[in-house]
Amino acid sequence: MNKESVVHKRKKAVKYLLIHLALIAAAAACVYPLLRILSVSIRPGDKLISTDLSLIPDGATFAAYARLLKETLFLRWLWNSLLITVSTSFIGVSLASTAAYAFSRFRFAGKRSGLVLLLSTQMIPAGMLILPLFLMIMKLGLMNTYLGIIIAYSVSSLPFSIWILKGYYDTIPRSLEEAALVDGTSQLGAFYRIILPLSTPALSIAFLFNFTTAWNEYLVARVVLFSSQQYTWTLGLFELQGQYITQWGMFAAGSMLVTAPVLAVFLYSSKWLISGLTLGSVKG
Amino acid sequence: MDILYSIYEILWFALIVVTGIALIEGCCYYHFRFHDRPWFIPAALAVLPASGAAGCLALGLVAEPVKPFLWLLGSEALIALFFKYVVKGRNTLPYLLLAPAFIGLALLLVYPFVFEIYLSFHDLKLTTIMAWKNTGSLPFVGLRQYADVFTTSPLSEVTFWALLGRTLWWTFINVFFHVAGGFALALLLNNNIRFKGFYRTLLIIPWAMPQVVAVLAMRGEFHSQYGFINIMLVKLAAAWPFLAHLGLGPAQWLSNYPLTTCTLINVWLGIPFMMVVILGGLQSISSSYYDAADIDGASYFQKLRFITLPLIRPVLMPAVTLGTVWTFNNINVIYLVTGQSGGTERADILVSALYKAAFTYNRYSYSAAFAIVIFAMLFFISVFYLKSFDAAKEDR
């Protein structure tokens, strides 16, 4: 081995070391706040407020979790969120899947303007529609009900879902449906028996997108739901964190309980989620 | 029993949705089928509005069936004419497939938008809201709300122009750091290193966490006494006294530097998305370009400038556009950090001021006008932006 390649190798090792160091620093910055919540959630009650930075505190205990479940309506909030979110995503995905099929497979008067309309709805800032939706819900007498909040959520991710699903349907060869049509099924039958099963990945992306949007929503829920019986978990946590500094441990415990499943699902599905997000842009 | 009741409520809702969709589909289907029969339009005009108005009355949605009757009559006439002269019975299926989604969008996106325009020319506030709820009538005030937007403060002291400037600054700084940070991390990750997947997983955690939890947790870290930031600053200043002389020390982040705090939190939140998008772009670049450049003796920065940047442009531009719109419209971070009672308005941007004007100050019509102004601005910016984007595309 000559001298030059040794120098080269050393240089490369140093480069990789630096890359690893930089990535470790960045990763620490990303993970640390989460670890801090975890550590606060297992602190004993008398040491909640402290300048202690150690991740596993002395006398670690799950008391905050027990208190959270016993003394607050946390389970009820989770249940509310789950019910609202699942209904919303179900409506959103079923409406989007049929609409996207029409856009992907048919030529009809108004197709182009329909697609443009869909994109242009994305330009309306979401924050802008909260007020008229709030007033509509109030006028319909649906304040503080699941119905009101589901109505407000149900179409918010619809344009995006239609767009994703259309992109995916476009990649499925038409010959599959044509074969089914020759075999004597109807167009709707071909959609239901062939396209839908084949597009399970895209459907789950759309469902996941609808789900996370509604699950993490805070601003609409804030104005529509006002009794703590009806709160979603976002409202509940905000209240726990807002009111008294003594609730800090319960807030942390609640955060951990909510974050853990979401994080697991997200990390597990992130590969598909990302390919779904970039699907449209790469093609366009 | 509460749980049973909530399931009951959801089932009730599902029934409404299914009935609604069935009605829509049935209505469309009959229009397709019979659009050219001479008896169809008179029959539809006689039956549909009357039964619709009767239905509204029976469900207790309205006290007076005349108004829904006239509305339904008008829209039914329009729909019948549309089917007779535009659709003419062709392409039944796509319209049937699209109808529920588009009617949903019309009712819950387009109608609220139009309603907001209506509100902005009237006067709905805390003192008139009960009258509006009972009678549905509102005093007309013309352009006064729009004049108020530009002359009075949306909150208690900050002006519209200050908010506008702050919003542009906030958007620029955030998007700049999102792209810069995301790009740097993506370049680091794009090397052939060990534990790549592991790093990537850890790095997208801020994006994956529920935003409410992430923001509230970070807000806690900025607490003046018990937050991580100040604890570290105190420790640093104690370890190296010269830093303390330079003015480094604990600060009242939430009350003295609210906008900086919000920006730091939002930068932290936004980098992972950009990183993931850019990394996807980087990985799709074929290595043969770099091999060719190596043979030509190109330096690292030359490769970055002449290969990487042009080739990730198609991925980067939509992401930056999306990121800009998201940042411009980001109420969440600012409201969660400063929105509680006694919160400051020194960090508010246009949209968060809009939310507070509507729901903290209850100035409904005022904030409707405010929303229309913001929408108009965004609209012109994006039209202008899309035009320049198209022009750049044609140049290539």
Side-chain angles (χ1 to χ4, degrees):
Chain A
M1 205 184 273
N2 59 28
K3 207 175 162 190
E4 204 168 299
S5 82
V6 171
V7 170
H8 187 73
K9 225 172 179 180
R10 241 183 230 159
K11 237 175 148 182
K12 216 164 178 184
V14 170
K15 183 185 144 195
Y16 278 117
L17 186 70
L18 288 179
I19 289 176
H20 276 287
L21 283 179
L23 282 175
I24 288 171
C30 287
V31 181
Y32 191 74
L34 187 63
L35 293 179
R36 273 275 284 186
I37 309 178
L38 179 64
S39 112
V40 171
S41 76
I42 53 176
R43 273 185 200 168
D46 55 333
K47 286 187 194 142
L48 272 179
I49 308 172
S50 80
T51 52
D52 178 20
L53 284 182
S54 64
L55 283 178
I56 298 177
D58 298 334
T61 153
F62 286 109
Y65 290 87
R67 273 190 65 204
L68 177 77
L69 299 183
K70 230 185 282 165
E71 290 172 25
T72 71
L73 293 165
F74 188 73
L75 284 177
R76 168 83 194 188
W77 297 335
L78 274 187
W79 167 249
N80 290 341
S81 278
L82 197 68
L83 217 55
I84 291 168
T85 311
V86 170
S87 325
T88 311
S89 338
F90 199 73
I91 296 177
V93 173
S94 42
L95 291 187
S97 62
T98 52
Y101 186 62
F103 277 127
S104 164
R105 285 300 196 263
F106 297 95
R107 295 164 64 89
F108 52 93
K111 178 177 176 177
R112 241 190 96 78
S113 34
L115 280 172
V116 170
L117 183 76
L118 221 53
L119 273 189
S120 55
T121 58
Q122 294 301 82
M123 283 197 346
I124 305 177
M128 181 180 164
L129 292 181
I130 299 177
L131 172 68
L133 279 173
F134 161 76
L135 292 172
M136 280 164 70
I137 290 168
M138 189 169 80
K139 187 114 190 188
L140 289 173
L142 295 177
M143 289 297 277
N144 206 21
T145 61
Y146 297 123
L147 268 67
I149 200 93
I150 295 173
I151 284 176
Y153 287 167
S154 57
V155 299
S156 57
S157 337
L158 198 56
F160 183 81
S161 318
I162 294 179
W163 206 250
I164 278 199
L165 286 169
K166 176 192 176 299
Y168 194 84
Y169 292 159
D170 284 345
T171 65
I172 301 176
R174 268 159 185 263
S175 49
L176 286 176
E177 280 160 282
E178 281 159 11
L181 290 177
V182 169
D183 286 346
T185 177
S186 66
Q187 187 86 42
L188 268 186
F191 171 63
Y192 183 71
R193 296 214 184 84
I194 294 177
I195 302 296
L196 274 190
L198 280 178
S199 33
T200 321
L203 287 173
S204 25
I205 291 171
F207 189 86
L208 205 70
F209 186 81
N210 277 275
F211 191 92
T212 43
T213 315
W215 182 254
N216 297 336
E217 213 286 334
Y218 172 77
L219 297 163
V220 179
R222 165 107 237 141
V223 298
V224 173
L225 307 173
F226 46 75
S227 80
S228 56
Q229 278 281 316
Q230 296 289 90
Y231 273 3
T232 55
W233 69 260
T234 47
L235 293 178
L237 277 192
F238 188 66
E239 206 179 64
L240 280 185
Q241 203 240 13
Q243 277 177 336
Y244 318 103
I245 197 80
T246 43
Q247 311 281 34
W248 192 227
M250 291 212 279
F251 162 76
S255 299
M256 280 320 292
L257 290 181
V258 172
T259 307
V262 173
L263 212 58
V265 172
F266 190 94
L267 295 180
Y268 175 71
S269 63
S270 62
K271 239 179 186 162
W272 298 294
L273 194 66
I274 289 150
S275 63
L277 280 176
T278 50
L279 204 69
S281 59
V282 171
K283 293 186 72 185
Chain B
M1 283 309 103
D2 274 351
I3 285 177
L4 280 184
Y5 182 75
S6 53
I7 291 178
Y8 164 76
E9 206 175 321
I10 292 295
L11 287 177
W12 183 223
F13 179 68
L15 186 72
I16 295 177
V17 170
V18 170
T19 323
I21 290 178
L23 281 178
I24 293 167
E25 296 291 347
C27 174
C28 282
Y29 181 75
Y30 279 102
H31 278 92
F32 278 119
R33 190 89 203 268
F34 303 118
H35 69 99
D36 51 355
R37 307 284 165 87
W39 51 266
F40 180 68
I41 293 186
L45 285 182
V47 175
L48 270 173
S51 54
C56 283
L57 195 63
L59 288 175
L61 289 177
V62 285
E64 228 347 76
V66 177
K67 219 174 158 188
F69 178 78
L70 290 177
W71 269 105
L72 285 169
L73 195 70
S75 37
E76 170 54 34
L78 277 180
I79 294 169
L81 290 176
F82 176 75
F83 274 93
K84 192 166 164 71
Y85 293 106
V86 182
V87 183
K88 293 182 188 152
R90 291 169 305 188
N91 298 317
T92 321
L93 195 56
Y95 288 112
L96 288 180
L97 288 172
L98 282 176
F102 269 69
I103 288 179
L105 284 176
L107 286 180
L108 297 172
L109 262 168
V110 181
Y111 176 73
F113 186 72
V114 175
F115 182 52
E116 187 141 61
I117 296 176
Y118 165 85
L119 273 182
S120 70
F121 290 105
H122 292 74
D123 195 16
L124 181 67
K125 51 191 176 193
L126 214 52
T127 48
T128 54
I129 195 163
M130 280 321 287
W132 172 75
K133 219 174 145 184
N134 296 327
T135 64
S137 68
L138 277 176
F140 180 80
V141 294
L143 288 171
R144 207 188 73 207
Q145 304 289 2
Y146 287 91
D148 280 356
V149 168
F150 295 106
T151 53
T152 67
S153 166
L155 304 173
S156 60
E157 45 196 31
V158 67
T159 64
F160 175 82
W161 303 106
L163 283 173
L164 178 62
R166 202 182 283 158
T167 307
L168 295 178
W169 176 241
W170 152 267
T171 310
F172 173 75
I173 288 286
N174 274 295
V175 174
F176 177 79
F177 280 110
H178 287 165
V179 174
F183 199 65
L185 287 178
L187 281 178
L188 288 176
L189 273 183
N190 200 33
N191 287 297
N192 192 13
I193 50 171
R194 235 182 275 178
F195 312 125
K196 193 161 141 182
F198 179 65
Y199 285 132
R200 189 171 153 286
T201 307
L202 291 185
L203 286 172
I204 61 174
I205 280 182
W207 182 29
M209 272 165 87
Q211 210 176 40
V212 173
V213 172
V215 174
L216 290 179
M218 285 301 274
R219 183 175 178 270
E221 301 302 348
F222 280 95
H223 188 273
S224 60
Q225 242 181 312
Y226 308 113
F228 172 74
I229 308 277
N230 271 357
I231 297 176
M232 281 317 278
L233 286 176
V234 168
K235 286 195 173 160
L236 278 179
W240 292 296
F242 72 94
L243 284 176
H245 287 303
L246 289 173
L248 186 95
Q252 298 284 340
W253 290 100
L254 293 172
S255 49
N256 291 347
Y257 308 100
L259 190 63
T260 317
T261 310
C262 290
T263 310
L264 287 172
I265 294 177
N266 195 44
V267 166
W268 180 79
L269 278 174
I271 284 178
F273 172 75
M274 284 294 170
M275 178 196 84
V276 164
V277 170
I278 294 172
L279 186 62
L282 288 180
Q283 282 168 345
S284 68
I285 301 176
S286 149
S287 64
S288 58
Y289 293 109
Y290 295 107
D291 296 341
D294 281 335
I295 293 171
D296 290 345
S299 74
Y300 180 77
F301 286 103
Q302 279 172 329
K303 281 188 278 186
L304 199 64
R305 167 71 186 81
F306 294 107
I307 300 176
T308 315
L309 277 182
L311 283 176
I312 60 161
R313 224 183 98 104
V315 182
L316 195 57
M317 288 318 283
V320 169
T321 317
L322 209 61
T324 310
V325 175
W326 281 348
T327 314
F328 189 97
N329 286 325
N330 195 327
I331 309 178
N332 245 343
V333 173
I334 293 174
Y335 187 78
L336 288 172
V337 173
T338 68
Q340 281 152 315
S341 53
T344 173
E345 58 190 65
R346 293 209 335 266
D348 275 311
I349 59 171
L350 285 170
V351 283
S352 67
L354 170 68
Y355 188 82
K356 287 182 184 172
F359 299 111
T360 309
Y361 293 81
N362 297 314
R363 300 162 76 185
Y364 302 114
S365 274
Y366 176 90
S367 53
F370 192 21
I372 300 293
V373 169
I374 297 175
F375 173 75
M377 270 169 27
L378 255 184
F379 183 78
F380 283 114
I381 292 173
S382 32
V383 167
F384 176 75
Y385 173 81
L386 285 177
K387 279 246 165 72
S388 64
F389 193 53
D390 277 353
K393 231 177 190 172
E394 274 158 28
D395 280 349
R396 274 190 289 157

